Amino acid sequence: MTRGEIRSLLKGLAFLSPWLIGFAVFMFLPIVLSMYYSLCDYNLLQSPAFIGAENYRSLIHDGIFWKSLRVTLLYAAISLPVGLVVSLGVAVLLNASVRGQSVFRTIIFVPSLVPTIAAAVLWKWMFNQRLGLINRALGPLLELLHKSPPPWLDQSAWVIPSLALMSIWSVGNTVIIYLAGLQDVPRELYEAAELDGAGKRRQLWHVTIPMISPVIFFNLVMAIIGILQVFDTPFMMTRGGPNRASYFYTYYLYDNAFTYLKMGYASAMAWIQLLLVLGLTGMAFWSSKRWVHYQGK
Amino acid sequence: MKNGREKFWTSVATYAALVVICALAMIPLLWMVSTSLKSDAQIVESPPRWMPEKFAWSNYRLAISSEWAHFPLWTRNTLIIATLAVIGTTFSSAIVAYGFAKIRFRGRGLLFTLMLSTMMIPFPVLMVPLFSIFVWLGDHTPIQWLGTARPLWAPSWFGSAFSIFLLRQFFTTIPDELSEAARIDGCSEWGIFWRIMLPLSRPALSVVALFTFMWAWRDFLGPLIFLQRPTQYTLALGLQTLQSQHGSTPWNQLMAASVLVILPVLVLFFIAQKTFIEGIATTGMKG
């Protein structure tokens, strides 16, 4: 390296230094420590004692671990595709030129501003079996069919679909990101498609979706990362119940760490979670070669 | 003419769909406000009414002043944490972003990729070791960490990957000629950053500040782990304690408390709406 190169390297590193330090202390060190703890018996009060792969071995035989993993994947299987499709649909509607467009956009975005805890309190009230707004509206209709209204958060079969339903209420962020992508699709493409006799539906399928596939991909990756760490809403709304039907992965991890003080065990769970996130996003990246089209920029 | 008529019906259908979706988005919030203004008797009234007969403002007073609720204190705590996080994140991220955007050095691309990939690491993975790091720091330095708000805002003074990314994208759009001219005039690198870049980047800086504030306002898991005494709680954590004892807190008061937690965020949103929407839109633009 020439002297000039060294100078600019030092200058660059100087500007990067806040992040370099932060990365080392709050990211790299924790990840390494987490790896080490996951191989230890560690309860915070005594220093960690090395026990090899024992934590991982016990996890395999831990029914609650598997249960929490199943709960999380079930929730992901519902809320991820539904969320992505619904928000894309809403974005397409919001992209149409109608009067009052900006008012619609604002209104649809507002729920995603609501802090999680406030949304949790609100939806607990909405889902309330007897007094909640949903069942008060559905009740009379279902009575005509001689059916009783759903128990929502109070029954294990219903709790995950309920939480997924609630998550769709606050997709505003995703909608805005889609919308930005939609606005970047060149108008000429639609005009050309129309000249070729393509109707609205075929334009959506053959022009819009391929053109915004990078945005869909981005939202997919963010959704995978976000959904695997769901903690707040089940913690606030159901305490993981009923019968652990909403005992999410991160909730069990949290309990192991801060309720039972099994830090080593929790760290093993954390590492499995990290590998899951990396594996799933890796799969998304791998599949993206087939369906994501980047324009030359 | 067929084309014209078809267009008309398409826009009618779009309009109808949008109205329905907006109604679904707003109904829960309206219901919350409505419940917050109802008396205990009116909550259970059947059929339910949207407009309370008489506004029961007392719910708000009771929610704020109930025995174990420390609303003014929680608001203060949240504001302190949010302010420190906003200043720290914006300032440090801008410095780092400048390095990534405007200084050419070996390994820059690699470090940038590394930084972006840290965004994929879930917080739950870090929380156990972070907890023990703060325990260790408390034992080995004169500063108390656990049971204070420090672990919640101190890390933000070392830049956040998301904000660095956002600011870097913005900095790269500022032409190099400006900084070149200043450099020839003998301006130092820091001077270029401080006196030329920052003033030009106000829109991007406000996006970062706004997002950080929103994030600090709604953060739950962090305060749950690091704060110990109810007097130190943030609003999010406070509202959680209020609602988890909801056997004793009636729904109308809970809704009143929730309205109070949402209100500042909504006000902020309406003041800075444009900044907001543009900011979110750019997050999806990494391509």
Side-chain angles (χ1 to χ4, degrees):
Chain A
M1 277 198 284
T2 64
R3 277 186 63 176
E5 276 178 344
I6 292 176
R7 260 182 63 112
S8 55
L9 176 66
L10 290 178
K11 223 194 279 178
L13 291 182
F15 273 91
L16 259 53
S17 60
W19 175 73
L20 289 172
I21 297 169
F23 172 75
V25 179
F26 300 118
M27 202 66 91
F28 186 71
L29 177 65
I31 289 181
V32 174
L33 277 179
S34 171
M35 178 85 241
Y36 173 60
Y37 292 161
S38 79
L39 302 172
C40 290
D41 185 17
Y42 179 36
N43 63 6
L44 264 187
L45 306 170
Q46 286 140 344
S47 51
F50 190 82
I51 52 167
E54 192 50 43
N55 286 323
Y56 292 94
R57 223 168 290 142
S58 343
L59 273 176
I60 294 176
H61 301 292
D62 183 348
I64 304 172
F65 165 77
W66 290 108
K67 168 93 189 175
S68 68
L69 192 59
R70 271 204 309 276
V71 165
T72 308
L73 293 179
L74 173 66
Y75 175 80
I78 302 173
S79 89
L80 192 138
V82 177
L84 285 179
V85 171
V86 167
S87 47
L88 179 58
V90 174
V92 168
L93 285 172
L94 284 176
N95 197 38
S97 48
V98 292
R99 201 177 292 173
Q101 196 186 39
S102 64
V103 178
F104 287 129
R105 286 181 185 176
T106 307
I107 291 179
I108 285 168
F109 183 68
V110 162
S112 61
L113 289 165
V114 174
T116 326
I117 176 63
V121 176
L122 166 58
W123 279 90
K124 223 169 139 180
W125 175 226
M126 294 286 292
F127 281 135
N128 190 296
Q129 233 189 101
R130 199 166 54 87
L131 295 172
L133 184 62
I134 302 181
N135 277 0
R136 287 219 191 171
L138 283 181
L141 292 175
L142 289 171
E143 216 162 276
L144 294 175
L145 303 167
H146 301 286
K147 284 193 174 126
S148 51
W152 302 114
L153 301 174
D154 297 335
Q155 209 184 72
S156 25
W158 277 91
V159 66
I160 291 295
S162 305
L163 292 176
L165 180 71
M166 174 190 157
S167 75
I168 290 165
W169 183 60
S170 42
V171 289
N173 267 317
T174 318
V175 171
I176 301 287
I177 293 173
Y178 273 135
L179 197 53
L182 289 173
Q183 284 163 349
D184 275 0
V185 181
R187 246 169 218 295
E188 304 91 78
L189 288 181
Y190 292 111
E191 282 158 15
E194 215 166 284
L195 280 181
D196 288 348
K200 282 272 177 232
R201 204 167 299 162
R202 287 188 60 193
Q203 286 179 26
L204 179 71
W205 201 242
H206 292 288
V207 178
T208 311
I209 303 237
M211 284 304 287
I212 63 161
S213 54
V215 184
I216 300 180
F217 176 65
F218 173 79
N219 280 335
L220 172 70
V221 170
M222 294 320 267
I224 291 173
I225 297 171
I227 285 177
L228 285 181
Q229 41 182 318
V230 168
F231 168 79
D232 295 8
T233 38
F235 181 84
M236 295 160 179
M237 295 173 75
T238 61
R239 289 269 151 187
N243 290 321
R244 297 210 175 97
S246 61
Y247 202 38
F248 280 70
Y249 192 90
T250 304
Y251 200 161
Y252 187 42
L253 197 167
Y254 168 88
D255 269 346
N256 272 316
F258 300 106
T259 310
Y260 317 132
L261 293 184
K262 285 156 70 175
M263 295 290 185
Y265 203 60
S267 297
M269 281 190 76
W271 261 86
I272 293 172
Q273 184 175 16
L274 184 61
L275 294 179
L276 262 176
V277 170
L278 293 180
L280 287 174
T281 46
M283 263 165 64
F285 271 98
W286 173 77
S287 80
S288 72
K289 287 192 191 102
R290 286 153 198 264
W291 62 272
V292 178
H293 307 277
Y294 290 103
Q295 306 174 66
K297 265 189 186 167
Chain B
M1 263 337 271
K2 187 180 168 237
N3 206 350
R5 197 184 293 165
E6 202 181 298
K7 248 185 196 147
F8 172 76
W9 285 113
T10 313
S11 72
V12 168
T14 312
Y15 211 81
L18 281 172
V19 169
V20 170
I21 293 167
C22 284
L24 290 176
M26 286 318 280
I27 283 174
L29 289 172
L30 295 174
W31 184 242
M32 170 168 68
V33 176
S34 159
T35 307
S36 77
L37 290 167
K38 283 179 179 170
S39 65
D40 295 354
Q42 272 195 303
I43 294 180
V44 293
E45 184 186 44
S46 187
R49 233 185 290 201
W50 282 93
M51 207 57 180
E53 224 162 57
K54 207 172 128 229
F55 287 176
W57 293 106
S58 57
N59 292 329
Y60 284 83
R61 206 190 58 238
L62 290 169
I64 293 176
S65 60
S66 76
E67 257 175 88
W68 24 266
H70 308 274
F71 249 87
L73 210 53
W74 293 340
T75 313
R76 201 197 65 158
N77 296 340
T78 315
L79 281 174
I80 292 176
I81 294 171
T83 311
L84 288 170
V86 166
I87 299 172
T89 304
T90 315
F91 187 61
S92 58
S93 304
I95 297 174
V96 178
Y98 181 84
F100 275 128
K102 290 294 173 189
I103 298 169
R104 237 161 259 173
F105 58 93
R106 210 177 269 196
R108 183 176 78 166
L110 196 70
L111 283 173
F112 190 64
T113 313
L114 177 66
M115 189 208 69
L116 285 184
S117 59
T118 60
M119 280 199 254
M120 286 185 12
I121 297 171
F123 178 72
V125 171
L126 304 174
M127 66 188 185
V128 171
L130 276 179
F131 191 84
S132 69
I133 288 173
F134 286 119
V135 170
W136 187 90
L137 278 175
D139 292 344
H140 293 82
T141 61
I143 306 166
Q144 181 69 33
W145 290 87
L146 272 193
T148 75
R150 288 187 191 107
L152 298 174
W153 58 261
S156 57
W157 285 73
F158 297 91
S160 91
F162 173 75
S163 312
I164 295 171
F165 168 75
L166 217 79
L167 288 168
R168 190 207 85 118
Q169 300 304 85
F170 190 85
F171 288 162
T172 46
T173 64
I174 297 176
D176 281 334
E177 284 80 7
L178 277 172
S179 33
E180 285 307 325
R183 202 164 287 139
I184 290 164
D185 288 347
C187 195
S188 69
E189 204 65 48
W190 178 260
I192 296 172
F193 164 71
W194 189 251
R195 266 176 276 161
I196 297 176
M197 276 303 184
L198 281 193
L200 285 174
S201 312
R202 224 168 267 158
L205 292 171
S206 42
V207 171
V208 168
L210 212 56
F211 280 10
T212 310
F213 184 88
M214 293 302 228
W215 170 83
W217 193 266
R218 65 191 307 154
D219 185 23
F220 180 74
L221 190 47
L224 178 69
I225 293 170
F226 293 121
L227 300 178
Q228 288 162 346
R229 284 194 305 275
T231 48
Q232 303 169 322
Y233 283 0
T234 58
L235 275 173
L237 203 50
L239 186 52
Q240 162 66 14
T241 41
L242 214 65
Q243 74 107 11
S244 61
Q245 325 197 11
H246 103 116
S248 50
T249 316
W251 282 111
N252 45 7
Q253 287 177 37
L254 272 179
M255 291 302 129
S258 305
V259 169
L260 291 177
V261 172
I262 297 174
L263 213 56
V265 186
L266 279 190
V267 171
L268 196 64
F269 169 69
F270 281 107
I271 294 173
Q273 198 174 352
K274 209 168 145 251
T275 315
F276 231 103
I277 300 287
E278 278 165 12
I280 296 170
T282 48
T283 59
M285 294 289 117
K286 347 183 158 191

